[in-house]
C-alpha cells in the first residue's frame, strides 16, 4: 500500500454531513443466523463484523461505491518510514457514553486484537506495536513493510479502554469456550448506533447514538435484526411486511420475489469462496472405519473427493445459478486471482475411483463430514448433494449439520474431519486467504482458520515473503504461486464463489456491497 505523504482531509464525509434532515424510521431486517458475539475481537465472522460496524468505528473504512479505504476515526496518515506509519485521529469523537476517544483507546484496541484469545490476528499481521505520539496521533510500528495495512485496518474497530477496564473485558472472549466476558453481550463504541438489547438467536435492537460524530445520509433511528433460520419463514416475513430486508433469500424464492410489485431484489457477486477443508493432521480420523491411518493425508484421496463433485449440478440445481464454480480459494476481485487458477479439475467419478484404489482404498471409506445449516446460501443442501456424490465412489460421508454459533467453535477445536467453510476476503488481497487457510498454524494470524492443519514448507515460504513484499508485479506472482500450490496439493476443495441477492421492500434504498454487509450510513426507508 502506497501511503500519501500529505495529510488527507475527511472530505469523504462532507457530502453526508450536508444531507437534509429526513423523517426518521425503523429498519427491520433478517438473515438465517445470529451474530456469534458483540465482542469486536473475538470471532472473525462476516455477519458479526458487519453488525459491529454499526456500533464501533475503525480508523479507516471502505467506501461502499469504490471499495477504497477512506477516513473514519483517522483523518490522515503518512509513511514516516517503510516500517512506521503515523495516523492523525479525528478530534471531537466521543463514545456513546459521552467520553472522548483518544490515542490511548486506539493503542489499547489494536493491542487487544493481537492477544491470544483474539480471532483477529490475521488483520494485525505485520504490526509490531502501536505507539501513542499524543492524544490525537498514533504511530504503527511494523515488523517490515506492509502493503495492505490500510485494508487490514478496515476490520480493526476501536473500543474504549476505560470501558473495557471497568467491565473486566481487557481480553476478547475465547470463542472456543463457553466462558463469557462483559464485551460478549454488551457494546459501547463511537459508531452511528448503540446496542439497546440483544437476545441471542432472537433479536438485536440498535438505536441511534446521540453522541455520533458523523452525519450519515440515513433516516434510520432504530435497527431491529431478527435471525430466522427457516427460509420459508424468512420470506413470509418479508412478504407480509413484518421485515423490510432479507440478506439471504433462498434461490428457490427469487422468481416470486422479483415478480412482486412491492419488492425488489438486488444481485451482486460476493468476494467469498465456498470450499471444503480436510483434516490432514491426525494419524487416524475419529469415527472412520480406516484404522491406523488418515486417508485425507493422501493427495490422491483429496483429488478423488474433488473430482467426484459435480459442480455444474450444484450450480444449476442446488444453487439455481447463484454461484460461480471455481477451482481456487479466492474470487476474481481479489489480488492474486487469475483465470488459469479459476479452472476446476474435471468432474470424473471413474477417475476418482481409480485414485482411491491407487491410494489403497478400492472400497472407499467412512468419514465424518460437518457443515453449517444457517451460514451460507443453501449450505446444508450443498452438503447433502455432495454426500450423495461421494457415495457413488464408495466414500460414506457421515453428514452432521449445526447452526453457526456452535459450528465455528467446533471446527476451531479441530473436531471435524471434512468441513465446509466460506471465506470472504476483506483486504481484497489473497494473502488474507493464504495466511489464514494454508499457512502452517503459528503466531500472528498464521493458519488461524487452517483447521484441517494443512502444512507445506514451500507455501510457508511464499506466504511469509508476501507479507512484506511491496513490489507489485513480484507480489502478484507470489500470490498466484501460493494459490497454485494450494491447487496442486488440494489443500482444500473449492466449490464456488457466492452470488448474493438481497431482497427488500420497494421503499428501501441502500448500496449492495461485495462483502455482503450493509453500510449503516447510507440506508434510507422512504
Amino acid at each position: 500500500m502506497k501511503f500519501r505523504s500529505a495529510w488527507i482531509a475527511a472530505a469523504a464525509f462532507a457530502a453526508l454531513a450536508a444531507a437534509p434532515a429526513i423523517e426518521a424510521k425503523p429498519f427491520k431486517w433478517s438473515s438465517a443466523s445470529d451474530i456469534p458475539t458483540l465482542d469486536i475481537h473475538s470471532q472473525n465472522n462476516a455477519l458479526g463484523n458487519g453488525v459491529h460496524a454499526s456500533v464501533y468505528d475503525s480508523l479507516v473504512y471502505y467506501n461502499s461505491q469504490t471499495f477504497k479505504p477512506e477516513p473514519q476515526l483517522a483523518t490522515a496518515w503518512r509513511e514516516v518510514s517503510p516500517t512506521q506509519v503515523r495516523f492523525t485521529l479525528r478530534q471531537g469523537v466521543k463514545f456513546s457514553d459521552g467520553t472522548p476517544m483518544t490515542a490511548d483507546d486506539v493503542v489499547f484496541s489494536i493491542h487487544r486484537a493481537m492477544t491470544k484469545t483474539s480471532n483477529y490476528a490475521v488483520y494485525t499481521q505485520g504490526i509490531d506495536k502501536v505507539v501513542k505520539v499524543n492524544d490525537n496521533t498514533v504511530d504503527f510500528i511494523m515488523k517490515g513493510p506492509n502493503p495492505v495495512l490500510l485494508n487490514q485496518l478496515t476490520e480493526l474497530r476501536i473500543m474504549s479502554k476505560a470501558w473495557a477496564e471497568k467491565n473486566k473485558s481487557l481480553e476478547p472472549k475465547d470463542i472456543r469456550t463457553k466462558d463469557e466476558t462483559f464485551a460478549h453481550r454488551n457494546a459501547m463504541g463511537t459508531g452511528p448506533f448503540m446496542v439497546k438489547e440483544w437476545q441471542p438467536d432472537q433479536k438485536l435492537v440498535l438505536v441511534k447514538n446521540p453522541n455520533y460524530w458523523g452525519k450519515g445520509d440515513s433516516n434510520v433511528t432504530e435497527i431491529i435484526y431478527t435471525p430466522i433460520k427457516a427460509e420459508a419463514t424468512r420470506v413470509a416475513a418479508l412478504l407480509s411486511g413484518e421485515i423490510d430486508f432479507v440478506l439471504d433469500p433462498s434461490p428457490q424464492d427469487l422468481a416470486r420475489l422479483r415478480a412482486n410489485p412491492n419488492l425488489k431484489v438486488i444481485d451482486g457477486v460476493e468476494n467469498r469462496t465456498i470450499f471444503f477443508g480436510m483434516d490432514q493432521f491426525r494419524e487416524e480420523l475419529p469415527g472412520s472405519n480406516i484404522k491406523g491411518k488418515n486417508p485425507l493425508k493422501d493427495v490422491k484421496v483429496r483429488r478423488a473427493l474433488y473430482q467426484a463433485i459435480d459442480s455444474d449440478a450444484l450450480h444449476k440445481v442446488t444453487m439455481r445459478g447463484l454461484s460461480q464454480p471455481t477451482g481456487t480459494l479466492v474470487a476474481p476481485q481479489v489480488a492474486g486471482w487469475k483465470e488459469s487458477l479459476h479452472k476446476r479439475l474435471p468432474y470424473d467419478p471413474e477417475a476418482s475411483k481409480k485414485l482411491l484404489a491407487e491410494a489403497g482404498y478400492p472400497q472407499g471409506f467412512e468419514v465424518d463430514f460437518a457443515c453449517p445449516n444457517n451460514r451460507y446460501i443453501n449450505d446444508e443442501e450443498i452438503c447433502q448433494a455432495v454426500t450423495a456424490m461421494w457415495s457413488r465412489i464408495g466414500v460414506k460421508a457421515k453428514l452432521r449439520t449445526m447452526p453457526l454459533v456452535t459450528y465455528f467453535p467446533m471446527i476451531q477445536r479441530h473436531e471435524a474431519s471434512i468441513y465446509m467453510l466460506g471465506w470472504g476476503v476483506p483486504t481484497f488481497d489473497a494473502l488474507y486467504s493464504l495466511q489464514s487457510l494454508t499457512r502452517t498454524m503459528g503466531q500472528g494470524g498464521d493458519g488461524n482458520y487452517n483447521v484441517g492443519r494443512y502444512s507445506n514448507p514451500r507455501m510457508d515460504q511464499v506466504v511469509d515473503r508476501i507479507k512484506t513484499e511491496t513490489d507489485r508485479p513480484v507480489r502478484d506472482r507470489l500470490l498466484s504461486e501460493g494459490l497454485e500450490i494450494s491447487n496442486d496439493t488440494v489443500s482444500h476443495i473449492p466449490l464456488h464463489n457466492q452470488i448474493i441477492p438481497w431482497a427488500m421492500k420497494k421503499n428501501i434504498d441502500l448500496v449492495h456491497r461485495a462483502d455482503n454487509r450493509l453500510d449503516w450510513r447510507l440506508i434510507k426507508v422512504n
Side-chain angles (χ1 to χ4, degrees):
M1 173 65 64
K2 184 178 181 181
F3 294 96
R4 303 180 192 180
S5 57
W7 295 119
I8 302 172
F13 294 96
L16 299 181
I22 316 169
E23 182 187 354
K25 296 188 179 173
F27 175 71
K28 303 174 183 178
W29 68 295
S30 179
S31 71
S33 56
D34 199 6
I35 63 171
T37 179
L38 284 171
D39 192 319
I40 54 171
H41 302 127
S42 177
Q43 174 63 292
N44 182 20
N45 167 272
L47 179 68
N49 290 350
V51 171
H52 294 165
S54 67
V55 178
Y56 290 93
D57 292 320
S58 47
L59 294 181
V60 296
Y61 200 59
Y62 287 126
N63 179 289
S64 288
Q65 279 85 15
T66 66
F67 264 88
K68 302 295 183 185
E70 65 183 13
Q72 196 168 63
L73 292 182
T75 57
W77 48 89
R78 64 183 175 92
E79 189 177 280
V80 178
S81 76
T83 57
Q84 181 180 356
V85 183
R86 177 160 295 174
F87 288 82
T88 298
L89 305 180
R90 187 178 299 278
Q91 296 190 38
V93 175
K94 294 180 179 179
F95 289 99
S96 58
D97 67 350
T99 58
M101 185 211 72
T102 70
D104 292 321
D105 301 304
V106 175
V107 172
F108 163 73
S109 297
I110 303 302
H111 288 166
R112 187 177 190 269
M114 299 166 73
T115 56
K116 185 178 180 180
T117 57
S118 169
N119 207 220
Y120 284 72
V122 68
Y123 299 113
T124 63
Q125 84 79 23
I127 300 172
D128 183 35
K129 59 185 176 180
V130 185
V131 178
K132 175 182 176 179
V133 178
N134 55 50
D135 279 350
N136 300 309
T137 313
V138 295
D139 280 355
F140 277 67
I141 310 300
M142 315 303 295
K143 297 174 183 176
N146 184 349
V148 291
L149 175 63
L150 288 185
N151 305 62
Q152 292 173 333
L153 291 179
T154 62
E155 291 291 68
L156 293 174
R157 283 162 274 278
I158 304 305
M159 178 182 286
S160 163
K161 180 183 179 184
W163 180 83
E165 289 175 337
K166 176 185 175 183
N167 294 296
K168 298 180 174 59
S169 294
L170 291 175
E171 292 190 352
K173 166 184 162 52
D174 188 339
I175 203 67
R176 295 166 297 185
T177 73
K178 293 183 179 180
D179 296 337
E180 291 190 6
T181 62
F182 187 81
H184 168 62
R185 289 183 181 266
N186 300 273
M188 204 270 288
T190 61
F193 292 88
M194 57 187 191
V195 176
K196 178 182 178 181
E197 174 189 7
W198 183 39
Q199 299 177 38
D201 295 320
Q202 296 181 50
K203 182 171 64 172
L204 171 68
V205 180
L206 307 175
V207 294
K208 272 281 194 185
N209 173 9
N211 292 304
Y212 181 49
W213 56 270
K215 303 287 185 182
D217 191 24
S218 171
N219 64 340
V220 174
T221 56
E222 184 179 46
I223 297 169
I224 303 167
Y225 176 69
T226 307
I228 304 174
K229 182 175 180 289
E231 294 171 344
T233 309
R234 222 160 44 243
V235 168
L238 179 64
L239 290 169
S240 69
E242 183 181 342
I243 58 176
D244 303 310
F245 174 89
V246 173
L247 187 72
D248 52 357
S250 62
Q252 54 267 34
D253 288 316
L254 288 176
R256 66 174 173 141
L257 293 177
R258 294 185 201 277
N260 190 309
N262 299 316
L263 303 176
K264 60 183 176 182
V265 177
I266 303 175
D267 299 286
V269 178
E270 190 184 13
N271 65 343
R272 178 179 303 280
T273 303
I274 308 295
F275 55 84
F276 295 134
M278 296 157 285
D279 184 337
Q280 298 167 59
F281 179 79
R282 282 187 175 87
E283 295 303 319
E284 180 179 304
L285 296 176
S288 176
N289 63 329
I290 304 298
K291 305 303 178 185
K293 58 181 178 178
N294 175 356
L296 300 177
K297 283 177 173 280
D298 193 323
V299 68
K300 290 183 177 180
V301 171
R302 301 197 297 273
R303 188 169 285 117
L305 293 172
Y306 182 150
Q307 293 198 249
I309 296 174
D310 186 346
S311 62
D312 286 341
L314 291 178
H315 171 69
K316 294 173 184 176
V317 180
T318 310
M319 299 302 294
R320 310 265 180 130
L322 285 178
S323 65
Q324 180 187 58
T326 186
T328 193
L329 285 179
V330 299
Q333 309 100 310
V334 177
W337 181 93
K338 60 183 181 181
E339 188 66 43
S340 60
L341 296 168
H342 180 60
K343 185 178 180 181
R344 288 183 60 80
L345 292 175
Y347 167 58
D348 191 340
E350 292 308 312
S352 294
K353 292 176 183 177
K354 183 179 179 182
L355 285 165
L356 287 177
E358 291 174 358
Y361 309 99
Q363 306 304 317
F365 56 91
E366 296 176 3
V367 65
D368 166 63
F369 183 26
C371 290
N373 57 23
N374 64 346
R375 178 62 191 99
Y376 312 114
I377 296 176
N378 282 4
D379 44 16
E380 186 170 13
E381 292 87 344
I382 292 168
C383 293
Q384 289 169 343
V386 170
T387 298
M389 293 172 188
W390 283 342
S391 70
R392 294 170 197 146
I393 64 167
V395 173
K396 302 172 187 66
K398 295 180 281 189
L399 178 62
R400 54 194 174 104
T401 66
M402 61 196 74
L404 75 84
V405 174
T406 52
Y407 178 76
F408 284 104
M410 181 276 296
I411 64 171
Q412 288 183 283
R413 294 192 299 266
H414 311 291
E415 294 175 2
S417 296
I418 303 179
Y419 56 91
M420 171 185 270
L421 196 59
W423 201 248
V425 188
T427 62
F428 291 85
D429 185 276
L431 171 62
Y432 177 81
S433 299
L434 293 170
Q435 182 184 6
S436 299
L437 303 173
T438 68
R439 175 66 168 80
T440 301
M441 296 180 71
Q443 302 298 314
D446 287 346
N448 71 323
Y449 257 94
N450 182 2
V451 293
R453 291 176 281 187
Y454 165 87
S455 184
N456 181 292
R458 178 55 186 164
M459 178 70 83
D460 293 350
Q461 293 171 5
V462 169
V463 170
D464 289 346
R465 184 176 169 192
I466 292 169
K467 291 176 183 176
T468 57
E469 181 56 66
T470 56
D471 184 299
R472 188 77 249 180
V474 173
R475 194 169 193 281
D476 284 344
R477 286 198 298 272
L478 288 168
L479 290 170
S480 295
E481 181 183 347
L483 293 171
E484 285 171 1
I485 295 169
S486 171
N487 286 9
D488 292 345
T489 59
V490 196
S491 71
H492 300 75
I493 300 174
L495 296 176
H496 57 255
N497 303 316
Q498 285 197 150
I499 296 174
I500 298 293
W502 288 356
M504 68 205 80
K505 293 179 181 176
K506 270 276 174 61
N507 67 328
I508 303 297
D509 284 342
L510 42 72
V511 178
H512 194 292
R513 289 171 52 117
D515 56 5
N516 196 32
R517 69 176 58 173
L518 295 159
D519 188 331
W520 309 100
R521 304 167 298 179
L522 302 178
I523 300 171
K524 291 181 185 176
V525 180
N526 297 315

